[in-house]
């Protein structure tokens, strides 16, 4: 049987694409392997967002062709979408180049390369690729669900609109059906994603609920139309999710600060399964830089937004992202961003240095910042965040939480441990909860399995992680086996 191997790169949205590619090939009778040496076809599902990610994806293609010369190498994903014509001649190491506009066409591409035909296929960016995913490139019990594709914000530094086009949204019924299917199959944590989920329902031609693009009727707690107010499409969707039955939690990721839907706050307040976790990429705290990025701001309004969120939801957790070294950023601007970070006291944040991307408006801007200075500014922000994170995590010592188990270690003769996540920890980017238990504790050993939810008490902070001890099987789930989605685990060490 013909075997394929996926070398996965990039963000959560690209991960969903990789899972759809897997599902399509499996449905066509191909077999998946996690050992690249056994693969007939190696698919590099690439990232094309910034220079370092592009290099990593290209290096993966070169390494795969060098290490496995008998395998066919397919470059897929964002890098393929962005530079397909360039790679037609400049990347002979790729036996095929496949864009991400219509992932259902992966079977055509693989069939062609196995027949000896080099294929360059970039389907039109139209609609949203979706469908049944049978296996997942994530830990057991959690999955990403894509709400939107593309982006219309046109931040001057960002190539996403060039790669994935303008924003368009999935119909509500499609999203609801997928969530119901995942929960029925044992997925506990649903992470709703898009380049900007605040833009859900705002794309040209979007009609997510069958009402056109007019404001949508609000749902009451019992799922009935109140007939007295209207909501954004995102709030309306969350209202429908709140009406679903089952044990699960939902997290929103990536909300542009200029479009934050404040009407989602009361929905989240009334529905404990939708956790008050907000990933809001501010990028800068200096008004001059914010405007140069084609964002509205100002920074003071962003600070007010965080204040409003925490006033409505006192337990709210904030994650953000900063970009340092944007053209024209001065030491004074960098200091403004440092003060901004100190003001918002985000629980988590990431930082990356500016990458000069061709065809973006910022590409032609003058007053470029040397990489060494941009990196130093990023390090300063990360140091400030480390102190804030340590302080905010320390406040959780002594508290008890339901956590989703990702991995279990045998430990030693006296003590074992598991790696888990609480609601305030997003997969991959935040810290974890290290759950410790006695090696001879039969109840803990029975309960602590990947994909299960258990109840723990926090004992200490270790870096960005929390140390905790097992209390009991979570009240959310009775003892016994949860439905098993049997996700496949992505093993970075097994990359091509």
């Amino acid at each position: 049987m013909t075997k394929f191997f996926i070398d996965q790169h990039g963000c959560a949205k690209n991960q969903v694409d990789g899972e759809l590619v897997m599902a399509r090939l499996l449905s066509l009778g191909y077999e998946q392997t996690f050992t690249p040496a056994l693969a007939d076809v190696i698919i590099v599902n690439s990232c094309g967002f910034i220079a370092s990610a592009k290099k990593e994806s290209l290096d993966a293609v070169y390494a795969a062709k060098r290490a496995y010369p008998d395998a066919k190498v397919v470059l897929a994903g964002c890098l393929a979408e962005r530079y397909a014509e360039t790679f037609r001649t400049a990347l002979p190491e790729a036996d095929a180049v496949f864009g991400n506009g219509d992932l259902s066409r992966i079977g055509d591409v693989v069939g062609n390369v196995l027949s000896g035909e080099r294929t360059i296929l970039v389907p039109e960016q139209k609609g949203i690729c979706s469908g049944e995913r049978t296996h997942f490139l994530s830990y057991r019990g959690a999955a990403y669900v894509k709400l939107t594709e593309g982006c219309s914000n046109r931040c001057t530094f960002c190539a996403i609109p060039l790669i994935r086009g303008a924003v368009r949204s999935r119909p509500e019924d499609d999203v609801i059906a997928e969530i119901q299917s995942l929960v029925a199959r044992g997925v506990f944590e649903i992470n709703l994603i898009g380049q900007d989920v605040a833009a859900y329902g705002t794309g040209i031609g979007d009609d997510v609920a069958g009402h056109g693009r007019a404001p949508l009727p609000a749902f009451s707690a019992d799922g009935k139309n109140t007939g007295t107010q209207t909501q954004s499409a995102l709030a309306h969707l969350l209202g429908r999710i709140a009406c679903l039955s089952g044990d699960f939690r939902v997290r929103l990721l990536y909300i542009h600060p200029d479009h934050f839907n404040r009407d989602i706050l009361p929905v989240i307040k009334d529905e404990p399964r939708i956790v008050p976790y907000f990933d809001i990429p501010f990028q800068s705290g200096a008004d001059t830089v914010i405007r140069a990025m084609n964002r509205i701001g100002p920074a003071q309004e962003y600070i007010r937004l965080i204040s409003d969120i925490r006033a409505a939801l006192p337990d709210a957790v904030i994650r953000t992202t900063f970009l340092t070294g944007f053209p024209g950023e001065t030491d004074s601007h960098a200091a403004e961003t440092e003060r901004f970070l100190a003001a918002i006291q985000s629980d988590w944040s990431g930082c990356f240095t500016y990458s000069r991307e061709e065809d973006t408006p910022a590409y032609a801007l003058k007053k470029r910042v040397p990489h060494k200075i941009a990196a130093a500014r990023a390090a300063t922000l990360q140091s400030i965040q480390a102190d804030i994170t340590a302080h905010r995590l320390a406040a959780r010592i002594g508290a008890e939480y339901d956590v989703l188990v990702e991995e279990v270690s045998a430990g030693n003769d006296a003590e074992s441990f598991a790696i888990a996540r609480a609601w305030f920890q997003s997969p991959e980017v935040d810290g974890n909860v290290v759950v410790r238990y006695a090696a001879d504790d039969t109840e803990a050993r029975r309960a602590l399995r990947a994909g299960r939810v258990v109840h723990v008490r926090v004992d200490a902070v270790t870096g960005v992680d929390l140390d905790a001890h097992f209390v009991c099987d979570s009240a959310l789930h009775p003892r016994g086996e949860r439905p098993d989605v049997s996700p496949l685990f992505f093993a970075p060490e097994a990359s091509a």
Side-chain angles (χ1 to χ4, degrees):
M1 185 177 291
T2 302
K3 296 181 175 63
F4 70 93
F5 172 89
I6 287 195
D7 186 7
Q8 180 68 33
H9 298 262
C11 65
K13 296 174 287 294
N14 208 41
Q15 178 178 316
V16 172
D17 289 351
E19 293 165 351
L20 290 169
V21 165
M22 288 161 46
R24 180 63 175 170
L25 291 177
L26 290 168
S27 73
L28 293 173
Y30 294 99
E31 180 182 340
Q32 185 165 13
T33 177
F34 280 91
T35 305
L38 301 178
D40 302 291
V41 179
I42 294 173
I43 301 169
V44 178
N45 194 28
S46 65
C47 178
F49 182 50
I50 57 177
S52 59
K54 290 186 283 187
K55 182 180 184 302
E56 178 184 286
S57 295
L58 284 174
D59 286 347
V61 172
Y62 300 142
K65 182 54 72 173
R66 183 172 57 250
Y68 313 107
D70 293 334
K72 300 295 185 181
V73 178
V74 177
L75 175 65
C78 288
L79 189 65
E81 176 75 20
R82 189 174 180 186
Y83 298 106
E85 285 308 310
T86 299
F87 292 151
R88 185 183 294 275
T89 55
L91 192 65
E93 293 84 356
D95 297 293
V97 177
F98 177 52
N100 50 26
D102 183 357
L103 299 176
S104 69
R105 301 288 299 280
I106 184 63
D108 299 335
V109 174
V110 171
N112 288 347
V113 297
L114 290 174
S115 300
E117 177 185 341
R118 190 167 190 261
T119 300
I120 310 294
L121 179 59
V122 184
E124 179 185 2
Q125 285 285 345
K126 186 178 181 181
I128 298 180
C129 295
S130 59
E132 186 78 7
R133 289 173 286 159
T134 54
H135 299 76
F136 298 87
L137 294 166
S138 58
Y139 290 108
R140 198 179 299 268
Y144 295 104
V145 170
K146 196 182 290 189
L147 298 188
T148 65
E149 189 61 273
C151 187
S152 298
N153 290 324
R154 300 287 173 178
C155 298
T156 54
F157 60 85
C158 185
I160 293 300
L162 302 173
I163 299 170
R164 293 189 179 253
V167 69
R168 58 256 188 213
S169 308
R170 292 176 68 186
E172 272 189 0
D173 288 346
D174 191 12
V175 175
I176 294 296
E178 181 170 18
I179 292 173
Q180 288 177 310
S181 173
L182 291 170
V183 172
R185 293 161 59 202
V187 174
F188 171 71
E189 181 179 275
I190 306 293
N191 294 287
L192 302 178
I193 58 172
Q195 197 62 37
D196 173 16
V197 298
Y200 180 70
T202 67
I204 296 174
D206 278 357
D207 183 6
V208 296
H211 301 294
R213 294 182 60 192
L216 299 167
F219 280 95
S220 61
D222 59 2
K224 296 179 180 178
N225 185 341
T226 63
T228 59
Q229 62 183 125
T230 56
Q231 293 180 311
S232 67
L234 180 61
H236 192 265
L237 173 65
L238 293 181
R240 287 194 62 186
I241 292 172
C243 295
L244 298 178
S245 60
D247 295 320
F248 59 88
R249 71 180 176 213
V250 172
R251 180 185 292 106
L252 287 166
L253 298 177
Y254 323 125
I255 305 178
H256 193 293
D258 290 335
H259 311 139
F260 190 95
N261 319 74
R262 279 177 166 80
D263 62 352
I264 69 176
L265 299 178
V267 181
I268 295 173
K269 182 178 181 179
D270 291 340
E271 177 47 69
R273 294 175 301 177
I274 305 175
V275 301
Y277 181 107
F278 303 96
D279 187 340
I280 310 172
F282 290 113
Q283 307 301 3
S284 177
D287 289 347
T288 300
V289 177
I290 291 169
R291 288 192 296 270
M293 290 177 171
N294 194 34
R295 289 171 164 234
I296 298 172
Q300 194 59 45
E301 178 57 33
Y302 294 161
I303 293 172
R304 185 177 299 112
L305 169 62
I306 297 303
S307 177
D308 290 348
I309 292 171
R310 286 178 169 146
L313 300 164
D315 293 334
V317 164
I318 307 297
R319 161 168 274 281
T320 190
T321 307
F322 294 103
L323 184 159
T324 60
F326 186 82
E329 183 188 58
T330 65
D331 288 343
S332 177
H333 295 146
E336 288 181 59
T337 299
E338 292 168 20
R339 291 192 291 271
F340 175 82
L341 174 56
I344 65 171
Q345 292 286 298
S346 51
D347 298 80
W348 312 100
S349 73
C351 191
F352 61 97
T353 58
Y354 172 71
S355 177
R356 188 169 178 242
E357 296 297 315
E358 62 271 27
D359 299 322
T360 63
Y363 185 82
L365 293 179
K366 307 299 182 182
K367 300 181 180 179
R368 281 182 274 171
V369 178
H371 177 75
K372 184 176 181 179
I373 293 176
R377 290 172 181 170
T380 297
L381 290 175
Q382 290 166 348
S383 177
I384 294 171
Q385 183 62 67
D387 290 341
I388 296 171
T389 297
H391 175 73
R392 297 187 73 82
L393 288 178
R396 299 189 183 277
I397 296 175
E400 296 188 3
Y401 300 101
D402 287 314
V403 298
L404 174 63
V405 179
E406 292 186 334
E407 298 179 273
V408 180
S409 172
N412 54 44
D413 292 340
E415 185 182 63
S416 294
F417 67 92
I419 306 299
R421 284 186 300 104
W423 68 265
F424 47 83
Q425 296 165 318
S426 187
E428 306 296 335
V429 294
D430 298 336
N432 293 99
V433 177
V434 180
V435 184
R436 303 188 184 279
Y437 60 100
D440 61 356
D441 186 335
T442 56
E443 180 184 4
R445 291 176 61 188
R446 181 171 58 245
L448 284 159
R449 302 180 194 174
R452 295 287 296 271
V453 178
V454 299
H455 200 67
V456 303
R457 182 179 177 85
V458 176
D459 301 313
V461 177
T462 306
V464 296
D465 297 328
L466 294 174
D467 255 27
H469 65 267
F470 172 79
V471 175
C472 64
D473 213 350
S474 172
L476 290 174
H477 305 289
R479 290 186 177 87
E481 293 298 321
R482 284 172 49 77
D484 187 359
V485 298
S486 298
L488 299 178
F489 294 87
F490 173 55
E493 67 275 10
S495 66

